Amino acid sequence: MEKTFYITTPIYYVNDVPHIGHAYTTLACDVMARFKRARGYQVAFLTGTDEHGQKVEAAAKANGETPLELADRVVKRFQALWDKLNTSHTDFIRTTQERHKHTVQEQFKSIEAKGDIYLGEYEDWYCTPCETFWTETQMINGNCPDCSRATTKLKEESYFFRMSKYQDQLLAHIEANPDFIQPKSRRNEILSFVREGLRDLSISRTSFSWGIPVPGNEKHVIYVWFDALTNYISALGYPEDHNKLFATFWPAVHVIGKDILRFHTVYWPTFLMAAGLPLPRQIFAHGWWTVEGQKMSKSLRNVVEPHMLADTYGVDTIRYFLLREVPFGLDGDFSHSALIGRINSDLANDLGNLVSRSSAMLGKYFDGTLPQPGIAETIDDKFVSLFSETVTKSDALLDEMAFNKALIAIWELISAGNKYIDETAPWALAKDPEQQPRLATVMYNLVDSLRVIALLVTPFMPQTAEKILTLLGRDISSLHTEEFDFSVRLTPGTRIDKATPMFPRIETK
Ligand code: MSP
């Protein structure tokens, strides 16, 4: 049996333009997808856009366009951003696509046939000017949280999902599977939420029309979250599964932000239980980014545009920074000074220097041809054994999505490389003809360490890895596939050019 891995991002709302928060989720998934692929897995990586619902309808109206026109326009921005950031998703789903609508309606029918969907009445507080329903807890002093005006209690006919029926089954599943919800703090949060009791869930609306109609009762549109969550299986062609994608890839690992935890760990699993489908393998909720200490928002005009960041600092730099700066799962703060600090120290000083010093010395002492290594001394053995130790360590950390710890481990190898240069002092060895074999060993190990480092950073910084491996004369055509062989050391005799600076330092005033 082939090893398979299915990872998903949330599907992004089209009533907002992409910012670093969105880029963060997608990049984390991309690192996982690239990592698993390089370790022999067949990978499905899904992203897309969430295009239905009242918010999109309202945003379109305000812009004087149809919801689909708005979606068509904004979806391009997301797609252009993912192209720019070099993400390797294998599918992009839009909830307005026929394939998706079909699955949502089939899913609705199948749960209804089971008796877990019934018609009832939804009662909540309604703000007429905003045309929005609010729950008791959402309101502020009994008024609409958006416009502060008075609300009235209104009833709306609605279909309900018997979520309460699945409370015990869900609780048992979370308890029996400690990794189902990660990190642990989020798991605890959901455990206590479910223990308090689940109510049945309203899953249709009649107050607006931009959505997927309820099969057999077109007055109702299916609730956006029932619609949106189903994307994870509609993209696999469920239920027909003509291409056997569902059979091959389901269940998925869902990476999400902490704000949409409940939808993914309570609603979605209970929908799946009702439909008789296996639950997701894991739901990992990451934290939120603020910008220079403040919440990111359009009104504060502090939205950080990832496209522009990538143009200014480089794609791999942004990929590195976002995953290195903050432990995955915790909140973090974006600041230009932190970004520049990482560029100058981790990228220019540590990684960039190791590559340029090594290749420059090889040019100087061996005319750019990789020598045959001689007998190894303790210092060499110690350095070389760190190669495989780092791979093991970084792989284990990536399996837990501990991206920043994996990068720290990789950077320990980079530092060890720089230290190896300082301690073996190739410039001194080069002065003594008798030390030629010693110099050859040192230079060989050093340059071969670049190969290992490049392979380790591949999921994070694919273009940088390609540059380094190309410099080392490696064939990179299969670098991003399961066929790439990790363990083959460099061949003595290979010609290696002097590297051009990869990460120029950024001068700050
Ligand atoms: N459409 C829903 C998801 C449906 S999934 C079936 C949605 N979309 S969203 O566009 O609002 O958010 C998508 C993701 O971006 C979420 O995971 C959210 O946590 C993440 N982020 C949005 N702002 C963020 C930050 N400031 N920081 C980090 N991530 C943030 O929710």
Side-chain angles (χ1 to χ4, degrees), residues 5-8 43-46 90-91 93 97 99-100 103 230-254 268 277:
F5 183 70
Y6 179 30
I7 190 154
T8 68
V43 172
F45 168 17
L46 176 69
T90 54
D91 197 357
I93 191 148
Q97 287 167 339
R99 58 170 177 163
H100 175 74
T103 306
T230 307
N231 91 88
Y232 300 131
I233 58 174
S234 59
L236 298 178
Y238 183 81
E240 290 80 7
D241 203 20
H242 294 305
N243 299 323
K244 294 274 167 288
L245 290 175
F246 186 80
T248 308
F249 288 108
W250 187 257
V253 170
H254 300 309
W268 178 227
L277 295 176

Side-chain angles (χ1 to χ4, degrees), residues 10-13 19 21-22 24-25 50 225 228-229 231-232 256-260 264 286-289 296:
I11 45 174
Y12 301 100
Y13 285 130
H19 56 63
H22 306 129
Y24 186 52
T25 319
D50 192 351
W225 277 99
L229 289 160
N231 91 88
Y232 300 131
I256 57 166
K258 63 179 185 180
D259 54 316
I260 53 176
H264 281 83
H286 64 67
W288 265 49
W289 284 88
M296 215 181 337

